Amino acid sequence: MMRTTLLLLSAAPLLGGVAAGQSQSAEFQPAASLATVQRQHRRLPTDDIWWTVNGPDMAWNFKNLHQLFPTVNVYRNGPVAELAHAPMAKIADYPIDTPEGTLPFADFIASDQSTALGLVILHRGKIAFERYPRMQPYEMPVIWSVAKVLPATVIRIMEERGEIDVSRPVEAYLPEVGNSSLAGASVRDILDMATGLDCADDYEDRSSCYYRYAMAIGDGWRTADAPDNPYDFVASLKASRHAPPGERFSYSGLNTFVLAWLVEKLAGMPFQDALSREIWFHIGAESNASYIAPRYGVAVTHGGFMARLRDLARFGLLFTPSHRTVSDTRIVSEAQVAFLLEEGNPKLLANAGAVTPGVKHNIYQWDAVFADGTLLKGGWAGQGLIVNPLWDVVAVFTGYFKDDESSEVALQPKLLEVLRGVFGESLPDRSAPGPMN
C-alpha cells in the first residue's frame, strides 16, 4: 500500500490523486489510464456483487459506478455558485494521534494509515480545507448511506408546504403497502428508522429481508428467485417485528426506498427528478449528480448517489447560516434546522442500546445529532456529511476499506475531533441554531 505522498502520486493511474495542498486544477488530468480501466472492469467479481471487494479495487469501483451500471441524472441549472477559498492552517496542522505517532491532520489523510479519497471543509461558506489524496476533484464517487438524508430532506420540504402529514400511517399515502408489514407505521417512524420491523441492513444473508430488498433494487447479488422490482417487493413485504412502530431505532435502507417512493407519489415524477426540482436545480452545483439505477431505472436512493464533493458540500450549506452562498431562495428553512436539532426522540437509540456520549438523538435519516449542534450522516465504507449550523461548518468526505481493514485509521472520528478542536471552542455548547435568515 502507498506509504508516502510521493507513492500516492505514483499510484495515480489506479487511485487517482491530487497532492496535499492542491485543489481544483485548471488543466484536466485523467483519473485512470486506459489500461487501468480495462483491467478494473475485468477484475469485477463474477460470482458475487461488485461491492464485496476491498482495497484498490473497492476504491476504483466507488469512483466509477457510472461505468458499471445504468444511471439516472439529478440535474443542475444556472450559474455555478462559486466557493471562495479561506484556508485555515489550524485544520491542516491539527495534531492527530495515530498508531504510528502524532501527525498533522493534512499529513494523516495522505498517509498510508488513511483511506480518504477526498475531503472538503467549509466554514462560513468558504473552503477552509480541501484535499484529494486518492481521487481527482472532478470525480463523482458514490456516497453510500449519506444519500439517505436526501429523500428525508425532500419529505420535510413537502411537509412544511402542507403536502404531507408525517404522523399519518404510510398507507394513507401509499395504499400499495396497506397489506404489507409496513402498514400501521407512520411516515415519521420510517423517517426515523423506527418501523419495528426485522429488516435491518444485512449484506451477508441472501435470504434476509434486507438482502431480498437489495436484490429487488439491483444492489444485491441476484439469484434465480430474486424479487423482480422493489415496489412489488415492499408492497408484499412480510417481515417479523422486534418492536412496535416508533419505539426502537433499527437501520434499514428499505425505509429510505419507501421515502423516495412516497416522494414519487406526492410529486408525480421519479425521485431523481423531484430531487432536481426541489434542491439540485437551485444550489449552483458544478455538475449534474446521478444515482445508480440497475433495475428498470429505479434510483438506489438508500446509497447509490454520486456527486462531486464540492456539490455535496453545497447541499450541506443549505443547513447553515451561509445558505445564501449557494441559493438566493431559502431551500432548507430555519424551522427545519431547529427541528432537526431539537425534535428527535432519544428513546429510539436508547431502546436499541445505541447510546453514544454526546449524541442526543437520530432524526429524519441523520444518524446522530450531537449536543454541540453537529449533524452527522455516515456511509458504509468511509463516507460522511457533517454539518454544524452553530459553527457554520460543513464537512464532506469519502473513502474506502483496505484489504486489511485493521491497518487503517477511520477518518470520521478524527475529523470530528478536528472540527471540535478548531471550531467548537469558539462558541458555547448549545443545541438551537442562531439567526439563519
Side-chain angles (χ1 to χ4, degrees):
M1 211 53 177
M2 295 76 66
R3 297 198 175 274
T4 65
T5 301
L6 179 61
L7 286 175
L8 282 170
L9 292 174
S10 71
L14 177 59
L15 291 180
V18 175
Q22 184 179 345
S23 61
Q24 306 273 28
S25 173
E27 197 167 317
F28 182 81
Q29 298 293 328
S33 68
L34 175 61
T36 295
V37 172
Q38 292 296 303
R39 182 175 71 248
Q40 290 304 126
H41 275 269
R42 287 165 172 77
R43 288 179 61 83
L44 291 169
T46 58
D47 58 352
D48 210 338
I49 195 67
W50 65 273
W51 43 252
T52 57
V53 297
N54 283 17
D57 290 335
M58 175 183 274
W60 189 88
N61 290 344
F62 279 8
K63 295 183 292 178
N64 291 280
L65 290 190
H66 61 286
Q67 297 190 39
L68 308 182
F69 293 105
T71 62
V72 292
N73 283 345
V74 178
Y75 293 103
R76 69 165 307 280
N77 187 50
V80 171
E82 297 294 344
L83 300 174
H85 281 81
M88 296 182 65
K90 193 173 181 181
I91 297 175
D93 297 339
Y94 197 91
I96 296 295
D97 291 332
T98 79
E100 298 182 8
T102 301
L103 290 174
F105 181 65
D107 291 350
F108 159 67
I109 64 171
S111 76
D112 68 343
Q113 297 183 75
S114 171
T115 55
L117 296 172
L119 169 65
V120 179
I121 300 174
L122 307 181
H123 181 227
R124 297 176 179 169
K126 299 178 180 179
I127 297 173
F129 183 86
E130 182 175 37
R131 297 291 190 277
Y132 299 96
R134 298 169 182 88
M135 65 178 285
Q136 293 293 336
Y138 59 77
E139 290 187 278
M140 299 167 56
V142 65
I143 62 169
W144 284 100
S145 285
V146 178
K148 289 180 169 66
V149 299
L150 296 170
T153 302
V154 176
I155 289 282
R156 178 64 190 188
I157 291 170
M158 292 178 161
E159 183 184 358
E160 291 183 346
R161 291 201 298 250
E163 297 172 14
I164 184 172
D165 177 354
V166 301
S167 68
R168 299 187 68 190
V170 63
E171 63 267 28
Y173 299 100
L174 289 177
E176 295 90 339
V177 305
N179 293 320
S180 78
S181 296
L182 277 166
S186 70
V187 176
R188 176 66 190 266
D189 294 333
I190 297 169
L191 284 159
D192 287 349
M193 297 285 189
T195 64
L197 297 181
D198 291 317
C199 202
D201 285 14
D202 184 340
Y203 296 101
E204 301 293 335
D205 181 1
R206 293 182 182 178
S207 66
S208 69
C209 169
Y210 181 79
Y211 204 100
R212 299 288 291 175
Y213 154 71
M215 289 180 181
I217 204 167
D219 191 40
W221 179 256
R222 289 185 59 80
T223 56
D225 64 343
D228 180 68
N229 67 83
Y231 301 101
D232 289 348
F233 175 78
V234 172
S236 61
L237 178 67
K238 300 299 177 186
S240 58
R241 189 175 293 279
H242 59 68
E247 291 294 321
R248 177 179 168 186
F249 177 81
S250 182
Y251 194 85
S252 177
L254 182 143
N255 292 331
T256 312
F257 167 75
V258 174
L259 297 177
W261 185 5
L262 182 54
V263 169
E264 292 179 335
K265 180 63 71 79
L266 294 171
M269 63 184 71
F271 176 76
Q272 63 272 11
D273 290 340
L275 180 61
S276 300
R277 183 186 73 179
E278 299 292 347
I279 296 176
W280 217 255
F281 221 57
H282 309 290
I283 62 171
E286 295 173 10
S287 175
N288 291 342
S290 63
Y291 284 96
I292 58 170
R295 297 286 294 170
Y296 306 127
V298 180
V300 178
T301 52
H302 69 261
F305 189 69
M306 298 174 289
R308 293 188 184 188
L309 295 192
R310 283 188 175 188
D311 285 343
L312 189 58
R314 287 177 170 89
F315 168 74
L317 281 178
L318 299 179
F319 298 83
T320 75
S322 294
H323 56 87
R324 287 194 188 90
T325 303
V326 295
S327 178
D328 292 332
T329 302
R330 192 66 195 265
I331 297 172
V332 172
S333 70
E334 182 175 359
Q336 179 174 170
V337 175
F339 170 80
L340 294 173
L341 292 175
E342 292 298 321
E343 300 300 326
N345 183 353
K347 75 177 184 180
L348 298 179
L349 292 175
N351 290 345
V355 175
T356 301
V359 173
K360 295 169 54 180
H361 54 257
N362 70 289
I363 188 170
Y364 274 52
Q365 306 280 291
W366 290 89
D367 295 336
V369 178
F370 291 83
D372 64 8
T374 299
L375 298 158
L376 169 66
K377 184 71 195 89
W380 167 57
Q383 299 79 39
L385 170 63
I386 299 171
V387 178
N388 191 305
L390 311 182
W391 306 337
D392 203 350
V393 166
V394 175
V396 174
F397 61 94
T398 187
Y400 67 102
F401 287 145
K402 286 186 178 183
D403 287 316
D404 174 17
E405 293 180 36
S406 64
S407 68
E408 66 189 61
V409 177
L411 176 57
Q412 179 177 293
K414 299 299 185 184
L415 177 56
L416 285 169
E417 178 185 339
V418 171
L419 296 179
R420 287 172 178 143
V422 173
F423 301 107
E425 299 173 357
S426 62
L427 288 173
D429 184 4
R430 48 189 175 144
S431 54
M436 297 280 291
N437 291 321

